[in-house]
Amino acid sequence: MKKDLVIIGGGAAGLAAALSANHPDINILVIEREKALGGILNQCIHNGFGLHVFKEELTGPEYASRYMDAFLKLNIEFLLDTTVVDVKKNDDFEVTVSSFENGLFKIDAKAVILSSGCYERTRGSVIIPGERPKGIMPAGSAQRYLNIDGYLVGKRVFILGSGDIGLIMARRMTLEGAKVLGVAEIMPYSNGLTRNIVQCLHDFDIPLYLSHTVTNVKGKDRLEQITIQEVDSHFNPIEHTDKVFDVDTLLLSVGLVPDISLFDSLDFKRDLVTKSAIVNQFYEASISGLFICGNALHVHDLVDYVSIESEKAGKSAQNYILNSKKTSKNVHLIGFNENIRYIVPQLIDFDNFNDPIDLSFRVTKKMDSGVFKISQSGKVIVTKKAKHLAPAEMEKINLKVESLIDNSPITLVFEEEKS
Ligand SMILES: Cc1cc2nc3c(=O)[nH]c(=O)nc-3n(C[C@H](O)[C@H](O)[C@H](O)COP(=O)(O)OP(=O)(O)OC[C@H]3O[C@@H](n4cnc5c(N)ncnc54)[C@H](O)[C@@H]3O)c2cc1C
């Protein structure tokens, strides 16, 4: 099979990328391993989606169906229940695909967009001492069991980690009749959006134990009891701070990681913080014709930003296929100071910088207020004031070519205002 563009993953990112890459001269194939398009949105039945893109509050499935309807109208080819198992690059890409119906087969593609989302960190990725009973699972898996399959995974629940999925599941399981006894977060601040802390914990009187972690797990077959302890500034448990909870379920909301395992055999430049590829403003990795977007590129808290980013990745892939546009030699990494954790895109191709670039980034710690400054050649070219900053909330600055002084590298810093 020969295609111009293969899009791996039919979630929010893949659908938005397909819509914008669509062109009469481009032969696109979207490959999705699930039995339906829509990705993680299908299990996110709460509201809070779409405020930026549609200016209204939608549930996850409602948001997905808007993109699916638009996608289906264009008659873009797609395969469901089909998994991409390998990607190689010779002159073109060789995409190996497996499906129950068609077996194993290969597709030749001029360009590939990876929009495969992210995976949840499990018990193996964090240190939880104690026994290994049933009843300990990632919060997103529990969400899928409940919202897609109709199973409540426990009656007395504790949640480790205050990521958004854990917070949302605290409310969801309470509404379904479970007793959620608390959420423990090892950091001195929550890793979830403020609105989720308020609407999912405070509104349901669920305690949040900041600077606490689980230090023991007991249970012969099923989980019976957990112990949490306060931690010091080096995350070491403090003696005599034990709190014991009799629970049958421990949900883990301890982080998401971009899923780029498909590309393990490809040699491209990686960002050690995002754990994905380093890309330029076209969302193109260091292998030409390979574009990455959505949670496969960096973990987003808002789907609206996934869609906006992925539309740009789709347009870039379209441009690559139609015009064979190559990246120039004048490409520079964006520098940043210690208050910034990462920036995407990491690179700017200055010779091809025409359209505004959305710089997406996260800060390293909670800060009350200050100012973001972008500098070039020793001069500040863009400033943006910001308040109530937290690592959980993604920040954005739109950089226009008119702001630039020349083609030299730019640097982004955040200067905190000390009160
Ligand atoms: C629990 C939860 C709650 C959220 N709540 C909100 C909220 O309230 N508001 C908001 O705006 N945002 C929210 N988000 C964020 C937002 O929903 C996601 O960031 C966005 O949907 C991610 O889209 P994606 O396409 O990058 O990834 P996904 O939706 O994960 O899609 C990736 C797709 O790729 C497929 N795939 C992966 N590997 C392969 C392969 N090898 N072959 C074929 N297919 C493959 C997967 O099956 C999946 O369908 C939430 C996210 C989660 C997880």
Side-chain angles (χ1 to χ4, degrees):
M1 206 190 263
K2 269 187 189 289
K3 297 285 164 194
D4 293 318
L5 175 62
V6 166
I7 300 181
I8 305 170
L15 290 173
L19 287 175
S20 64
N22 185 50
H23 186 279
D25 296 336
I26 299 184
N27 191 343
I28 303 175
L29 175 66
V30 176
I31 303 173
E32 169 54 54
R33 70 176 167 204
E34 297 281 340
K35 290 187 167 55
L37 296 169
I40 197 81
L41 289 169
N42 291 332
Q43 68 183 63
C44 298
I45 61 171
H46 56 280
N47 58 1
F49 299 82
L51 282 168
H52 296 269
V53 170
F54 297 111
K55 311 284 178 249
E56 58 181 307
E57 210 173 6
L58 304 171
T59 63
E62 281 171 336
Y63 186 96
S65 71
R66 301 248 172 136
Y67 276 87
M68 275 191 254
D69 291 348
F71 174 81
L72 293 173
K73 273 193 194 132
L74 294 178
N75 288 321
I76 296 171
E77 203 184 333
F78 63 100
L79 293 171
L80 296 178
D81 214 358
T82 304
T83 305
V84 175
V85 292
D86 190 32
V87 180
K88 287 199 170 58
K89 169 92 167 131
N90 302 313
D91 286 341
D92 282 346
F93 290 90
E94 185 188 270
V95 181
T96 307
V97 175
S98 164
S99 84
F100 186 71
E101 209 178 319
N102 300 311
L104 201 69
F105 57 100
K106 288 188 197 302
I107 303 166
D108 229 47
K110 286 186 191 148
V112 165
I113 297 181
L114 183 72
S115 47
S116 52
C118 58
Y119 63 85
E120 292 183 281
R121 296 177 81 208
T122 57
R123 182 173 178 178
S125 11
V126 287
I127 300 163
I128 304 178
E131 291 162 342
R132 302 183 68 81
K134 285 186 279 214
I136 304 176
M137 72 182 77
S141 303
Q143 186 184 49
R144 189 187 165 107
Y145 280 130
L146 184 54
N147 294 347
I148 305 268
D149 304 326
Y151 297 113
L152 188 64
V153 296
K155 299 264 173 59
R156 287 178 67 80
V157 183
F158 201 91
I159 297 173
L160 175 61
S162 62
D164 288 310
I165 313 180
L167 301 177
I168 282 159
M169 282 310 286
R171 173 177 66 185
R172 181 81 184 102
M173 294 202 64
T174 307
L175 290 172
E176 288 299 331
K179 175 79 187 154
V180 179
L181 289 108
V183 177
E185 168 57 59
I186 198 163
M187 301 302 285
Y189 50 81
S190 164
N191 273 313
L193 296 173
T194 311
R195 72 167 193 220
N196 285 336
I197 303 279
V198 175
Q199 295 171 6
C200 302
L201 299 187
H202 296 179
D203 287 359
F204 292 87
D205 291 327
I206 298 170
L208 172 61
Y209 298 94
L210 294 174
S211 298
H212 276 74
T213 191
V214 173
T215 51
N216 201 13
V217 161
K218 278 189 189 165
K220 202 161 165 278
D221 180 27
R222 175 86 194 197
L223 178 64
E224 289 161 23
Q225 196 177 73
I226 62 151
T227 305
I228 66 167
Q229 272 177 282
E230 199 175 335
V231 295
D232 62 21
S233 54
H234 301 289
F235 306 118
N236 293 316
I238 302 169
E239 270 187 315
H240 312 302
T241 60
D242 315 27
K243 296 172 194 69
V244 175
F245 297 90
D246 293 329
V247 289
D248 57 25
T249 302
L250 177 65
L251 298 186
L252 307 177
S253 184
V254 290
L256 300 164
V257 184
D259 189 354
I260 57 159
S261 50
L262 266 180
F263 290 158
D264 278 352
S265 56
L266 289 183
D267 186 19
F268 59 89
K269 294 199 177 103
R270 290 160 195 255
D271 184 321
L272 294 178
V273 178
T274 60
K275 306 232 175 353
S276 183
I278 291 180
V279 293
N280 60 20
Q281 71 263 38
F282 307 108
Y283 300 98
E284 188 179 19
S286 57
I287 294 179
S288 60
L290 172 60
F291 299 85
I292 309 194
C293 55
N295 280 357
L297 180 60
H298 58 131
V299 175
H300 295 65
D301 26 78
L302 293 181
V303 70
D304 305 62
Y305 293 151
V306 168
S307 303
I308 294 165
E309 173 184 291
S310 305
E311 275 166 28
K312 291 189 176 181
K315 250 305 153 243
S316 305
Q318 182 195 74
N319 203 13
Y320 174 87
I321 293 163
L322 294 178
N323 305 320
S324 308
K325 201 170 191 176
K326 297 275 178 287
T327 7
S328 72
K329 295 255 177 291
N330 195 10
V331 179
H332 298 294
L333 268 172
I334 305 172
F336 51 90
N337 75 342
E338 71 287 351
N339 288 334
I340 314 271
R341 204 164 148 250
Y342 73 78
I343 305 185
V344 170
Q346 295 87 345
L347 294 167
I348 294 185
D349 175 350
F350 283 91
D351 288 344
N352 292 308
F353 185 176
N354 302 312
D355 300 326
I357 301 175
D358 271 333
L359 298 177
S360 304
F361 46 94
R362 290 180 190 271
V363 293
T364 44
K365 56 182 182 193
K366 271 202 148 187
M367 290 176 279
D368 281 340
S369 65
V371 56
F372 288 108
K373 290 183 179 171
I374 298 181
S375 307
Q376 192 180 40
S377 298
K379 290 204 177 83
V380 176
I381 56 169
V382 176
T383 58
K384 186 184 173 191
K385 287 189 173 173
K387 280 189 172 168
H388 312 302
L389 293 118
E393 318 250 350
M394 199 195 295
E395 302 291 333
K396 278 184 170 281
I397 292 183
N398 190 262
L399 181 65
K400 298 189 175 66
V401 69
E402 305 86 81
S403 308
L404 298 183
I405 297 172
D406 51 33
N407 278 355
S408 61
I410 61 163
T411 308
L412 171 70
V413 298
F414 182 71
E415 287 176 5
E416 195 178 358
E417 260 164 29
K418 301 276 180 209
S419 49

